[in-house]
Amino acid sequence: MAWRLPPLNALRAFEAAGRYVSFTRAAEELHVTPGAVSRQIKLLEDFLGVELFDRTHRDLRMTDASRAYVGALTDVFERADNATKRLLNANRERSLHIQSAMTFTLRWLMPRLPLFHKMYPTRELHLTTMLAPLPTHYLVTGEVDVAIQQGCGDWEGVISHRLAGSELIPVCSPALLRADPPLREYNDLSRHTLLHSLARPDDWQDWLAAAGATDVDPARGLRFESSSLAYQAAIEGIGIAIGQMALVIEDLETGRLVPAFDFVLQNGYAYHLMYYEHAARNPRLVEFRDWILGEAARYEASHRFPGAKIGHAAPAPATSITPSAASAATSAAE
């Protein structure tokens, strides 16, 4: 459809002058001179081929037709202004909804978030956590902008970026490691309390099978709703937790936790940032994505060999071990 529209500046000048019935007040609103307003209105009259103001009187008067025209233009400008404000507010104020595995959020993401806030102090984030895997249709429909969960990175229909691996290692408090009964061989775990996360029920089974600890019942011990609770129980000396290296590395570095054994299971999984393809056009998502990938790169550079970081090396057989089928079913949980 071809629009036949007069020059916009002329319309703005006429609308303001007609609303005030004054060139001077219109000029003040538009931050120009009264002469500039007069010239714009003359341009509009030439375009339309009609006189908009009655210039036979000393004071400024409008014709009936031009008065109706002003009313229509005021309505159009108000609607355009409101639409523009709605668009700008939607872009500026809508928070980025991030859903992330709970223990990853607490132990990896949360300590780094102040850095993001420092870079983007006006950005709003809506951060929620989960224990179960997030169905990808939540990303497709836009109910969640971006998700962080564990897996192999092969989710169908979404873009994913690797953030941190999830190598498994048994951890406990330094006091428990020094106490009786001693932990000299893998099977000595049978005389200790194993700490489990209900969100990751097969981690102990996978690690024990890979380590060849045939005399340890992987099902025995205490169970907690999340890995973070199991790790805290280990810090308190209640038992031995099976830790994901990325989530216990700070505790290992500070000495709150120590490795019970030097066998690290490379289980093939990692934490990934996920979003639907069309969401990549969202500038808020792009800001967060670029920031968190930078943090992930710094983490990987500092902990390229997690075992060596704490004085232990992962045995070669660990790289060939694959998780059980049950672990794969829950691999996206925390």
Side-chain angles (χ1 to χ4, degrees):
M1 180 177 182
W3 301 94
R4 187 171 183 269
L5 298 175
L8 179 58
N9 285 339
L11 287 177
R12 290 184 66 212
F14 168 68
E15 188 276 334
R19 183 160 28 89
Y20 291 118
V21 196
S22 168
F23 286 4
T24 301
R25 294 188 63 185
E28 291 173 354
E29 178 179 303
L30 299 175
H31 304 290
V32 296
T33 65
V37 171
S38 179
R39 287 191 294 274
Q40 288 294 330
I41 291 174
K42 183 62 171 66
L43 176 65
L44 181 61
E45 289 177 328
D46 291 343
F47 180 90
L48 297 174
V50 299
E51 289 190 357
L52 298 171
F53 291 94
D54 186 352
R55 292 177 170 80
T56 61
H57 297 81
R58 292 176 60 86
D59 56 339
L60 192 64
R61 294 185 182 182
M62 302 178 64
T63 65
D64 291 340
S66 63
R67 190 176 293 109
Y69 194 30
V70 165
L73 290 175
T74 300
D75 180 63
V76 168
F77 288 152
E78 284 181 348
R79 285 189 285 121
D81 180 62
N82 290 333
T84 302
K85 289 176 180 176
R86 285 194 299 270
L87 177 64
L88 292 176
N89 289 337
N91 280 337
R92 290 172 181 169
E93 298 177 4
R94 183 177 177 272
S95 59
L96 184 70
H97 187 181
I98 305 165
Q99 191 158 47
S100 176
M102 187 172 72
T103 301
F104 183 88
T105 301
L106 291 173
R107 290 179 158 260
W108 197 96
L109 178 58
M110 197 65 71
R112 293 170 169 83
L113 272 182
L115 299 175
F116 178 81
H117 183 67
K118 185 177 181 180
M119 290 179 63
Y120 303 102
T122 63
R123 295 295 182 264
E124 295 185 4
L125 301 180
H126 176 196
L127 179 60
T128 56
T129 61
M130 57 187 172
L131 290 175
L134 177 75
T136 56
H137 71 78
Y138 283 93
L139 295 170
V140 175
T141 60
E143 295 175 65
V144 175
D145 295 308
V146 61
I148 301 174
Q149 63 186 27
Q150 190 185 144
C152 296
D154 56 353
W155 292 278
E156 186 175 351
V158 299
I159 298 172
S160 66
H161 304 276
R162 188 182 189 277
L163 297 179
S166 59
E167 302 88 347
L168 299 179
I169 186 171
V171 293
C172 62
S173 69
L176 189 147
L177 188 64
R178 294 191 299 265
D180 290 328
L183 287 165
R184 298 190 180 94
E185 300 178 354
Y186 299 147
N187 285 325
D188 289 337
L189 288 166
S190 63
R191 298 186 291 169
H192 287 268
T193 301
L194 304 185
L195 306 176
H196 301 262
S197 167
L198 292 176
R200 303 180 57 83
D202 299 294
D203 281 357
W204 265 119
Q205 175 181 316
D206 293 335
W207 188 90
L208 290 168
T214 57
D215 296 337
V216 183
D217 181 1
R220 57 183 292 276
L222 302 179
R223 286 166 173 76
F224 300 87
E225 182 184 24
S226 68
S227 298
S228 58
L229 294 177
Y231 299 159
Q232 188 60 40
I235 291 172
E236 300 299 332
I238 295 173
I240 303 172
I242 186 71
Q244 297 177 78
M245 186 68 76
L247 307 187
V248 297
I249 190 67
E250 183 179 345
D251 296 301
L252 294 172
E253 290 175 339
T254 59
R256 288 189 295 267
L257 291 173
V258 294
F261 292 100
D262 61 359
F263 183 79
V264 177
L265 173 60
Q266 304 282 353
N267 61 4
Y269 293 117
Y271 284 95
H272 290 80
L273 181 79
M274 304 164 50
Y275 52 90
Y276 190 53
E277 185 176 5
H278 79 274
R281 297 190 294 270
N282 182 341
R284 295 179 304 278
L285 189 153
V286 172
E287 288 174 350
F288 182 79
R289 179 199 65 194
D290 292 349
W291 168 78
I292 198 171
L293 290 182
E295 291 300 309
R298 279 185 281 276
Y299 167 79
E300 290 289 346
S302 300
H303 306 91
R304 191 174 299 277
F305 304 103
K309 179 70 177 179
I310 57 174
H312 303 290
T319 59
S320 62
I321 300 297
T322 57
S324 66
S327 286
T330 59
S331 63
E334 56 144 350

